[in-house]
Amino acid sequence: MAAKLCLAIVLLIGVAVSSAQQRCLRTQGRHKPEPSQEGLYDCHIYNENSCCTHATTRVLVNSSGNHIGNFVWTKCLPVSAACEQYIKNEMCFYYCSPNTYPWAERISGSSEIAPEDVGETYSGVPICASYCDDFYTACRDQLICVTNWYTDWTVVRNPATGRNESQCTAASTCNTFGQRFGDGKALCNGIFGNSYVYTTGADCLVMSFPNGTSNPNDAVSARISSSATSVVNAKISLALLSILIAFMAGFMNT
C-alpha cells in the first residue's frame, strides 16, 4: 500500500513539472481548440500556426465594411489604410495568435458585440512599447468617438444587416486618436479595455511581423508561461512531498 502511494505521488509530481503547451482561448466561437496550420484568407502571418479559421479571417478583407462580427470601427469617418491595418492586426492577434494563453482568464458571460466569446478572454497581455507607439502614430489624426472599444459603445440593431452593431453614444463626439489618448501608452492601455499593457523590455509581444518569418511571440509566451508554471509546480511538488513525508512518518510509527 505504501509503495503504491509513493508511486502515485511521484507520478503526480512528474505531471506537475511538465511544461505548458501552446493552446487557443476556450471560446464557443471563432477560436479553434488547438493551434494548427491553416490556409487563412487574411492574417497570413499566422498560416503556419493559427487559432483562427479561413472563414474567420475572410470578414477582415472587406475594407468597405470595416467590421468583424458585430464590431464596426468606422463610426465617425473611414480611417486611413495605415490606421486600419493596425486595427486589423489587433483583430488577427485576438482570433489567430497562439501566444495569448499565459494571460487567459475565465469570463462568466458574453457581450452583444462579441456574443460568441464565452468561456475565456485574456487581460494584461504585454505589448511592446515600440509597436504601441507605431499604432498611435498611424492613427493619431483619425477620428474616434469612444475611448474604450469594449465598453463605451451603444449597441443597436442595423436594419440593413439584421445584426447588432456598435454605435457612438448620444453624448459622444468624434475626436482624433491624438485628442483621446495622447500617446501610444494610453492607446494600448485603454482602447481595448484591460486586454493589453504597454511594455518596455524584452518580455513583450507584437501584433505584426513580416509574413513568412517565424513568430517572435513564440519564445516570449513560452518563457513567461514556463516561469509561471515553475512557480505553481514548485508549490504543488512541495505540498505532495509534505503529504508523502507525513504518510511515511505515520506508517513507520505503526
Side-chain angles (χ1 to χ4, degrees):
M1 177 65 181
K4 290 182 178 180
L5 180 60
C6 291
L7 177 60
I9 291 177
V10 170
L11 289 175
L12 285 172
I13 293 174
V15 171
V17 298
S18 63
S19 59
Q21 300 297 313
Q22 281 188 343
R23 68 171 181 83
C24 303
L25 292 178
R26 307 304 190 207
T27 65
Q28 296 179 2
R30 297 190 176 99
H31 292 90
K32 298 190 297 188
E34 303 296 335
S36 62
Q37 191 173 46
E38 185 86 21
L40 298 174
Y41 200 87
D42 202 353
C43 310
H44 300 298
I45 60 175
Y46 299 105
N47 276 339
E48 293 303 313
N49 198 31
S50 173
C51 283
C52 63
T53 65
H54 175 94
T56 299
T57 60
R58 189 181 181 92
V59 299
L60 291 172
V61 176
N62 183 11
S63 60
S64 62
N66 291 322
H67 71 84
I68 183 167
N70 299 335
F71 176 66
V72 183
W73 59 76
T74 56
K75 306 314 297 186
C76 292
L77 288 173
V79 297
S80 67
C83 180
E84 182 181 13
Q85 186 58 58
Y86 276 91
I87 297 169
K88 285 185 176 181
N89 288 349
E90 194 278 334
M91 296 290 184
C92 290
F93 182 84
Y94 172 74
Y95 285 105
C96 303
S97 174
N99 305 116
T100 60
Y101 59 95
W103 300 275
E105 59 182 29
R106 296 289 301 174
I107 54 176
S108 58
S110 64
S111 71
E112 293 181 274
I113 295 296
E116 77 282 356
D117 295 337
V118 178
E120 282 185 338
T121 185
Y122 54 67
S123 67
V125 178
I127 302 300
C128 294
S130 59
Y131 182 87
C132 293
D133 293 339
D134 290 343
F135 185 0
Y136 174 77
T137 298
C139 295
R140 178 173 50 205
D141 298 325
Q142 307 305 302
L143 295 176
I144 182 175
C145 65
V146 297
T147 301
N148 186 331
W149 278 2
Y150 284 178
T151 61
D152 293 354
W153 301 105
T154 293
V155 179
V156 299
R157 182 166 292 276
N158 184 332
T161 63
R163 294 196 311 260
N164 288 337
E165 293 183 357
S166 54
Q167 298 285 345
C168 302
T169 65
S172 64
T173 57
C174 290
N175 305 114
T176 65
F177 278 69
Q179 291 169 323
R180 284 195 175 269
F181 299 106
D183 57 30
K185 182 175 183 179
L187 175 62
C188 273
N189 288 353
I191 193 169
F192 301 108
N194 63 351
S195 297
Y196 307 113
V197 177
Y198 180 96
T199 303
T200 58
D203 284 340
C204 62
L205 309 184
V206 293
M207 294 183 182
S208 180
F209 48 91
N211 192 24
T213 65
S214 59
N215 186 341
N217 298 329
D218 287 345
V220 177
S221 60
R223 182 167 62 249
I224 292 175
S225 178
S226 177
S227 177
T229 301
S230 296
V231 173
V232 172
N233 287 342
K235 293 179 180 179
I236 294 174
S237 298
L238 286 173
L240 291 173
L241 284 172
S242 297
I243 294 172
L244 175 60
I245 292 170
F247 175 82
M248 294 302 297
F251 179 78
M252 296 297 292
N253 292 330
T254 58

